[in-house]
Amino acid sequence: MGMTQMNVDEEAATPGRKGNGFYCSPAQLFFVAITVAITITGVGLLCYYAPDRTSECEPVVGSQEPIKQSEEPKPTEKPNPTEKPKPTTVKDVTTKKMPSTPDMPSPSPTSGGDWEGRLSSNIIPKHYTLTLQPYLYEKDIPAGSGKTLFTFDGTVKIEIKCLEATNVIKLHKNAINVTEGTLTVTDIDSSKDVKIKTFTDQVEYQFLVIELETSLEADRSYEISMDYIGDLWDGLAGFYRSSYKNDAGETRFIATTQMQPTDARRALPCFDEPAMKATFNTTIIHPSDLSAITNMNNISTEVLTGDWSGWEKTQFETTPAMSTYLLAFVVSDFTFKSGTTNRNVTFRVWARTERIDTVDYALQAGIRILDFFEDYFNIDYPLPKQDMIAIPDFSAGAMENWGLITYRETALLFDSSENSASNKQRIAVVVSHELAHQWFGNLVTPIWWDDLWLNEGFASYVEYLGVDHIEPTWQMQEQFVVEDLQYVFTLDGLGSSHPIKVPVRTPEEINEIFDSISYSKGAAILRMLNDILTEDVFVKGLTNYLNHFAYSNAESDDLWEYLTAADRGIGDNDVKRIMDTWTLQMGYPVVTCKRSGDTISANQTHFLIDPTSEVEDKYGDLGYTWYVQVSYFDDSSNVRSNRWLNKGPDSFDLLGSNPDWYILNDKQSGYYRVNYDQANWDALKTQLETNSTVFPDENKAALIDDAFNLARAGLLEQVTALSLTTFLKDDLSYIPWEATLTVMSYVQDMFSRYEGYGALEIYMHNLVENLYNSVGWIDSGSHLEQYNRVNALFTACTYKNDDCLIEATALYAQYMTLSNAGNSTNPVSPNLRTLTYCNGIREGGQVEWDFGYNKYTTSDDAAEKSKWLFALGCSQEPWILSRYLELSLDPDEVRSQDAVYVIQYVSDNYVGRALAWDFIRAKWDILRNNYGGGSFSFSRLIESVTKHFNTNFDLEELEAFGEDRDFGSAARAYQQSIEKTKANIIWMTNNAASTFEWLEKQNP
């Protein structure tokens, strides 16, 4: 029932870990040093005169061979976890690590082990026995009990093992108070108490420090026990309260949790680090008219009597060994619907009673996706049940607590009569993401938060596979390019980006890396690796890795070890050597190609949106060169060819004889951009205009995204990028249109205060016209046809298509008329509501806005409320937008989880941008206090409000705002906003005039 002990001997037997070492005499050391010097000299000469791709030497540039290990690896001995079920035998696993190449040293991100805020390794938890009693309603608290509303009582007993004698115990505790006289430390074998000398709070590190009069003995087990009291606060972290109004207008309360990354310590004193795995027995005492759920299934319920009549004590089964951040419990009056998976796992979806009929899609999707992942990983889901629950107040989209996943309502509840295709896809994607975590993150957990990307990057990749399995017509794997890859390219093209794996220590530093680098870049490089290794090898390696480290912890190198082993005898790639270049340094390359006859010369350089920016170097780098597997094809053949572009220039022959054009990065499977010589760009443009169907949609999207961003970086003429969009008059495919609208939104932002905006408006009006006429206003068709219709109509209305504006405002007026007459029918179809609401409010005035706000406050559907939340920011009246901003800080008007989005939506409106910027500066202390510690949306707030800054005056204001200011979890976002502003200024200087001129020439 305990975790795998993380002592030195076990680590030495684990792939990628270091052992204790050995002793050498001075004479032996001298002999070894001479031998090593001679060996290095000899190997260096051999590398210089006779490079061999199977040696430690750098592989030959342009090699079509795999990136190989330096020597035959040795099999690993498998650790023997103490908990059950034990992982199955792992085959083909190596312990010998590939040393870094001489000119490419690997930086070693620390795990924060030298920081005083880390727990010591001399004590490890084995088991928690936890009892909680939350007080949600005054009526349930017995008179004279002394209990206080919106608090909770807790009792915790922690079985620990002492690995090294010590008289000090440190564990985490935050915002909870230990009840006087209840703290004890007991020797389990002798049942004797160990006398406590003192216990104090070390607030800086959120520690409870217990000093003992005598030392704990190594290899003995002890129990720490205490009672405590905590606040059931409304801060969306730890053990907190949420609320909603039922159909009777009554406010109902929920006790729920959000522990990740460092808030389990708000719910119980604990060893709150991911490597400190233990088992949990949880008991919850709650009113009889409320239900209690946690990670495991209910095994007994006791009805209480006497003063506590009307209460029940519910006990739950023991969990597997798991990290504290995965602990979850909910007390509510919710109901559920249930089903069973193919392997008889009970699957339940919970919601408030008024919304229980909207859980059906999530239930069906969840069951099928769980079945899919069991087959994909070839590992059974390890728990007897899986609960998913929709929480009215929730800071993130969802949280993967083992066996009890918590969601925002918008990420779980779907009403086909009220919600759009995008709402449906979001639910499927988030459910898939969280279920993937049940293996990748929960079953096997990173040792420390510097490997957060192992959790989030992997789940962000396979979420697409899960949804593709249940919704094969949605083209999810094609959507990856525009949903994740191209999105993160922009952020990772900044000099202030960060590697996927970075050293982090404090809670705020940890929260800071819950960003698109960990999620989307992590997903993109795993998708690339899957393409390099092939699906069969990739999945085999994952399965062996998960089996080997089940119920324990691992790090990036462990995954590379198992994938390398799976590829032995097939591709023989050294995965660590390849992937270190993608995880231990920020950014990505641009591969620049020049053609001479049928031969292509290629080279890679670090891509930066602003080449003049200072590159953040505090994490180290590998020379900003990467191992790139280049895939390519040309117009003479649909056959794809691959080769390695390692670190320097390369040349290779095209597949056909004298082809007109060629393309690198087939389906944008690699994490790199491509720049061609002008002749090839021109040939690609001609082919797009002649017959664009010869290209996969992903490559059409890649050409557009690459070209526009290369132009931003000054590596391509802006007019070349713009000219690639003209084919879209005749190509109505969703993927390339989505990519185009994304890059053109940047031009729109830059031109919003520039004289060329009118020319841009006319060009986009004409470009989207065929698509607009094709899709029409009848909301029908396939999933991506519905997506395409929303894009077409929104774009047409944005760029002043009269027919679009007439239709949208007429629909909005019709809805107002019906509603004011007491008719609850909404004449606007779900997919068209956001654009109709926005344009109705934009073209209207106070009456239209007040109607929308009333709908926002009275709607019971979270997805519908989100549509109104966005649309209310579309007003063209500054005073209305100012009022809206003020309302965002009133939790009685706008839920705390949504307040940041109000500011973002106002800043997306050209009329509201200055208002939002002034509001942030005026209300900064309030915003920082409420959302700056760990809110996922806080960094996006800084990004959205500053994304249009493109003048020196904007830059001066932004820099002045940052002087002596603590940005919390948005610190990196602030630095990136400065870098983006500088890049925007350069773009305006270099490209605004030529873009304006080109746009005018295109307009009749």
Side-chain angles (χ1 to χ4, degrees):
M1 279 179 29
M3 66 175 287
T4 303
Q5 296 181 8
M6 298 300 291
N7 58 40
V8 175
D9 290 337
E10 281 186 336
E11 289 177 357
T14 304
R17 308 287 168 76
K18 296 180 179 179
N20 272 331
F22 54 90
Y23 174 80
C24 289
S25 70
Q28 289 171 320
L29 286 171
F30 178 80
F31 175 77
V32 169
I34 294 297
T35 304
V36 169
I38 293 171
T39 302
I40 290 173
T41 302
V43 171
L45 290 170
L46 179 62
C47 288
Y48 183 81
Y49 288 107
D52 179 356
R53 294 184 184 98
T54 62
S55 76
E56 283 188 341
C57 309
E58 187 64 35
V60 175
V61 171
S63 169
Q64 291 180 293
E65 298 293 324
I67 308 301
K68 293 186 177 181
Q69 287 191 307
S70 61
E71 56 184 89
E72 185 65 19
K74 300 174 183 178
T76 289
E77 293 180 9
K78 176 178 164 294
N80 184 23
T82 57
E83 71 278 4
K84 294 183 179 181
K86 295 181 180 179
T88 59
T89 301
V90 181
K91 298 180 180 179
D92 297 330
V93 180
T94 63
T95 55
K96 185 67 176 179
K97 292 292 185 182
M98 173 65 206
S100 300
T101 54
D103 56 348
M104 189 180 278
S106 293
S108 301
T110 68
S111 294
D114 57 349
W115 178 51
E116 293 183 2
R118 290 294 302 275
L119 294 171
S120 64
S121 58
N122 54 11
I123 292 173
I124 58 171
K126 304 290 286 183
H127 179 73
Y128 292 80
T129 301
L130 174 66
T131 301
L132 294 167
Q133 185 171 9
Y135 303 106
L136 290 169
Y137 298 99
E138 196 74 56
K139 67 179 181 62
D140 295 319
I141 302 175
S145 66
K147 306 302 179 183
T148 305
L149 186 65
F150 300 144
T151 63
F152 65 93
D153 289 337
T155 298
V156 65
K157 298 179 179 180
I158 312 172
E159 178 187 342
I160 61 172
K161 184 172 183 179
C162 180
L163 303 181
E164 182 181 338
T166 180
N167 71 330
V168 175
I169 302 171
K170 285 186 179 181
L171 65 162
H172 288 105
K173 179 177 78 72
N174 185 25
I176 51 180
N177 297 311
V178 177
T179 304
E180 186 175 354
T182 65
L183 177 61
T184 61
V185 178
T186 305
D187 185 312
I188 291 177
D189 290 339
S190 67
S191 299
K192 293 182 179 179
D193 286 348
V194 182
K195 290 186 178 180
I196 297 173
K197 185 176 181 181
T198 62
F199 67 94
T200 57
D201 287 337
Q202 194 172 355
V203 177
E204 180 182 0
Y205 302 123
Q206 300 176 349
F207 280 155
L208 171 62
V209 181
I210 305 170
E211 186 178 358
L212 307 171
E213 291 191 358
T214 58
S215 291
L216 305 181
E217 298 178 21
D219 296 323
R220 290 184 71 86
S221 295
Y222 299 86
E223 182 183 85
I224 307 168
S225 178
M226 70 191 86
D227 298 338
Y228 61 94
I229 299 171
D231 285 329
L232 206 60
W233 71 323
D234 59 359
L236 309 183
F239 197 19
Y240 73 94
R241 74 177 186 272
S242 176
S243 65
Y244 73 95
K245 287 189 177 181
N246 62 18
D247 284 347
E250 302 169 330
T251 299
R252 304 294 294 170
F253 294 101
I254 305 136
T256 186
T257 55
Q258 171 58 38
M259 307 299 199
Q260 191 186 43
T262 58
D263 284 308
R265 63 195 69 172
R266 282 184 171 273
L268 70 155
C270 59
F271 295 82
D272 199 13
E273 292 185 2
M276 295 289 188
K277 286 195 171 185
T279 53
F280 291 81
N281 272 118
T282 301
T283 298
I284 297 179
I285 302 171
H286 57 93
S288 300
D289 58 348
L290 304 179
S291 60
I293 54 176
T294 184
N295 304 83
M296 296 295 287
N297 49 302
N298 177 346
I299 57 174
S300 70
T301 299
E302 175 189 350
V303 177
L304 303 185
T305 58
D307 289 344
W308 293 99
S309 177
W311 288 72
E312 295 177 352
K313 180 187 292 186
T314 301
Q315 185 175 353
F316 299 88
E317 184 64 79
T318 305
T319 71
M322 68 181 197
S323 304
T324 49
Y325 79 86
L326 296 171
L327 191 62
F329 18 88
V330 180
V331 177
S332 71
D333 61 352
F334 286 9
T335 55
F336 67 86
K337 289 188 177 182
S338 64
T340 306
T341 70
N342 289 339
R343 292 177 177 84
N344 294 316
V345 174
T346 299
F347 204 113
R348 301 183 297 186
V349 182
W350 298 72
R352 46 196 173 94
T353 302
E354 294 82 358
R355 303 296 297 165
I356 194 61
D357 288 338
T358 64
V359 305
D360 294 332
Y361 179 71
L363 176 62
Q364 295 163 13
I367 290 172
R368 294 177 62 197
I369 291 172
L370 192 68
D371 285 335
F372 168 77
F373 282 138
E374 286 189 315
D375 293 337
Y376 179 79
F377 295 122
N378 196 25
I379 299 172
D380 288 352
Y381 175 73
L383 304 186
K385 63 92 175 177
Q386 176 64 70
D387 284 318
M388 304 196 303
I389 186 167
I391 305 297
D393 298 285
F394 197 71
S395 61
M399 176 59 207
E400 67 266 19
N401 316 297
W402 216 355
L404 173 52
I405 304 173
T406 45
Y407 294 81
R408 276 194 181 208
E409 290 191 335
T410 54
L412 192 66
L413 307 182
F414 178 73
D415 182 345
S416 60
S417 66
E418 294 290 324
N419 304 144
S420 65
S422 61
N423 295 140
K424 189 175 186 179
Q425 180 170 306
R426 171 169 165 75
I427 289 165
V429 166
V430 177
V431 167
S432 185
H433 182 102
E434 305 307 327
L435 289 175
H437 274 311
Q438 306 304 297
W439 287 267
F440 235 94
N442 298 8
L443 182 65
V444 179
T445 310
I447 294 171
W448 181 243
W449 296 107
D450 56 356
D451 267 319
L452 170 71
W453 84 273
L454 275 180
N455 279 9
E456 301 303 346
F458 189 85
S460 296
Y461 169 55
V462 300
E463 72 186 30
Y464 285 85
L465 307 185
V467 179
D468 188 59
H469 173 73
I470 66 167
E471 302 287 1
T473 65
W474 288 5
Q475 297 179 243
M476 289 304 299
Q477 299 198 52
E478 290 88 342
Q479 284 195 56
F480 182 91
V481 168
V482 292
E483 291 289 333
D484 274 272
L485 177 62
Q486 294 179 356
Y487 169 74
V488 74
F489 263 165
T490 302
L491 178 60
D492 205 24
L494 298 173
S496 55
S497 182
H498 65 85
I500 282 180
K501 182 167 182 172
V502 295
V504 290
R505 303 184 304 176
T506 67
E508 286 197 339
E509 288 176 351
I510 294 167
N511 276 297
E512 197 175 81
I513 63 169
F514 279 81
D515 64 3
S516 59
I517 297 296
S518 296
Y519 284 72
S520 297
K521 182 177 180 179
I525 65 169
L526 288 169
R527 173 177 175 261
M528 176 179 66
L529 184 58
N530 181 85
D531 186 66
I532 293 170
L533 299 178
T534 73
E535 177 86 2
D536 289 344
V537 170
F538 185 72
V539 174
K540 177 186 176 184
L542 294 181
T543 298
N544 288 344
Y545 164 85
L546 290 170
N547 275 321
H548 189 89
F549 292 101
Y551 306 102
S552 187
N553 299 81
E555 58 188 2
S556 300
D557 282 356
D558 297 316
L559 178 59
W560 306 151
E561 197 84 45
Y562 278 74
L563 290 170
T564 297
D567 197 37
R568 188 173 299 113
I570 302 172
D572 287 323
N573 288 287
D574 180 351
V575 176
K576 173 176 168 54
R577 173 183 275 182
I578 297 167
M579 297 308 292
D580 275 358
T581 66
W582 298 99
T583 61
L584 300 184
Q585 59 185 350
M586 72 175 75
Y588 55 90
V590 52
V591 176
T592 301
C593 301
K594 292 183 179 180
R595 177 177 176 178
S596 177
D598 289 340
T599 300
I600 304 301
S601 298
N603 194 19
Q604 62 162 291
T605 54
H606 182 197
F607 177 81
L608 290 169
I609 291 175
D610 176 8
T612 68
S613 63
E614 294 183 5
V615 176
E616 176 62 72
D617 61 358
K618 68 179 179 181
Y619 303 115
D621 63 80
L622 304 179
Y624 293 112
T625 53
W626 292 262
Y627 287 114
V628 183
Q629 179 176 269
V630 173
S631 57
Y632 60 98
F633 63 94
D634 58 48
D635 68 336
S636 66
S637 172
N638 289 326
V639 177
R640 160 180 160 167
S641 185
N642 300 321
R643 69 182 297 105
W644 284 102
L645 177 64
N646 296 338
K647 297 202 307 173
D650 178 29
S651 62
F652 55 91
D653 292 332
L654 294 173
L655 302 175
S657 177
N658 195 30
D660 290 333
W661 53 260
Y662 63 94
I663 276 188
L664 269 65
N665 203 5
D666 182 32
K667 298 184 178 180
Q668 213 167 15
S669 57
Y671 191 72
Y672 59 94
R673 295 195 184 279
V674 184
N675 194 8
Y676 305 100
D677 53 57
Q678 190 62 47
N680 199 57
W681 280 116
D682 292 342
L684 291 168
K685 173 184 180 295
T686 299
Q687 182 62 66
L688 285 168
E689 292 178 337
T690 303
N691 179 14
S692 64
T693 62
V694 302
F695 301 123
D697 279 350
E698 301 98 309
N699 277 112
K700 288 184 277 187
L703 287 170
I704 292 167
D705 188 68
D706 280 352
F708 272 82
N709 284 280
L710 290 166
R712 284 181 68 179
L715 301 177
L716 185 69
E717 292 295 328
Q718 183 67 53
V719 295
T720 299
L722 288 163
S723 69
L724 291 177
T725 65
T726 58
F727 82 98
L728 289 166
K729 289 183 178 179
D730 301 311
D731 190 317
L732 310 183
S733 306
Y734 168 73
I735 301 296
W737 261 104
E738 178 69 13
T740 300
L741 293 177
T742 298
V743 295
M744 291 304 293
S745 70
Y746 175 77
V747 180
Q748 182 186 29
D749 284 339
M750 294 302 95
F751 272 31
S752 62
R753 297 176 293 179
Y754 179 66
E755 60 177 321
Y757 186 86
L760 172 67
E761 186 174 274
I762 294 171
Y763 178 71
M764 290 301 296
H765 178 285
N766 295 334
L767 186 67
V768 79
E769 189 168 16
N770 283 349
L771 180 62
Y772 174 78
N773 292 333
S774 173
V775 297
W777 280 81
I778 298 175
D779 192 11
S780 61
S782 69
H783 183 74
L784 286 191
E785 286 173 345
Q786 294 174 56
Y787 267 39
N788 224 10
R789 178 176 295 106
V790 171
N791 271 352
L793 270 56
F794 224 122
T795 304
C797 283
T798 298
Y799 291 109
K800 306 300 183 184
N801 179 301
D802 289 339
D803 182 73
C804 183
L805 291 173
I806 289 169
E807 287 282 351
T809 54
L811 267 176
Y812 193 83
Q814 182 184 359
Y815 186 22
M816 289 181 64
T817 299
L818 288 171
S819 182
N820 292 335
N823 188 333
S824 61
T825 302
N826 189 337
V828 188
S829 64
N831 286 314
L832 307 183
R833 288 183 182 176
T834 301
L835 74 94
T836 299
Y837 298 167
C838 176
N839 284 286
I841 289 173
R842 176 185 289 140
E843 298 298 312
Q846 180 178 359
V847 173
E848 286 75 13
W849 195 93
D850 287 345
F851 172 80
Y853 189 72
N854 179 64
K855 288 297 180 183
Y856 166 75
T857 57
T858 58
S859 175
D860 191 44
D861 185 289
E864 182 74 358
K865 290 177 79 72
S866 293
K867 292 177 175 62
W868 283 114
L869 200 73
F870 171 82
L872 291 166
C874 295
S875 174
Q876 300 294 288
E877 297 288 347
W879 72 269
I880 290 179
L881 294 175
S882 293
R883 181 178 67 175
Y884 191 29
L885 289 169
E886 292 293 340
L887 288 171
S888 72
L889 297 183
D890 184 348
D892 292 331
E893 299 290 338
V894 176
R895 284 190 180 274
S896 298
Q897 66 182 17
D898 294 327
V900 168
Y901 293 106
V902 171
I903 305 170
Q904 289 184 46
Y905 297 152
V906 171
S907 71
D908 285 340
N909 179 346
Y910 299 139
V911 175
R913 283 182 173 175
L915 299 173
W917 176 227
D918 289 345
F919 183 77
I920 282 181
R921 289 182 290 179
K923 306 292 185 180
W924 178 257
D925 290 340
I926 297 173
L927 294 169
R928 170 70 177 84
N929 182 62
N930 290 347
Y931 312 111
S935 172
F936 286 91
S937 57
F938 196 57
S939 293
R940 298 190 196 118
L941 174 62
I942 300 295
E943 177 186 355
S944 63
V945 174
T946 62
K947 67 180 181 180
H948 67 287
F949 284 8
N950 61 4
T951 68
N952 287 315
F953 180 74
D954 291 333
L955 179 61
E956 290 169 4
E957 284 201 325
L958 183 57
E959 290 177 332
F961 178 57
E963 292 177 0
D964 301 321
R965 194 177 298 277
D966 179 10
F967 284 91
S969 60
R972 191 186 306 278
Y974 171 72
Q975 292 301 322
Q976 290 171 344
S977 70
I978 291 177
E979 185 179 351
K980 289 178 183 178
T981 300
K982 292 177 179 178
N984 293 344
I985 293 169
I986 293 173
W987 188 92
M988 290 296 294
T989 301
N990 295 340
N991 296 312
S994 61
T995 299
F996 183 16
E997 181 181 356
W998 185 89
L999 290 170
E1000 284 194 311
K1001 289 180 180 178
Q1002 309 309 306
N1003 298 334

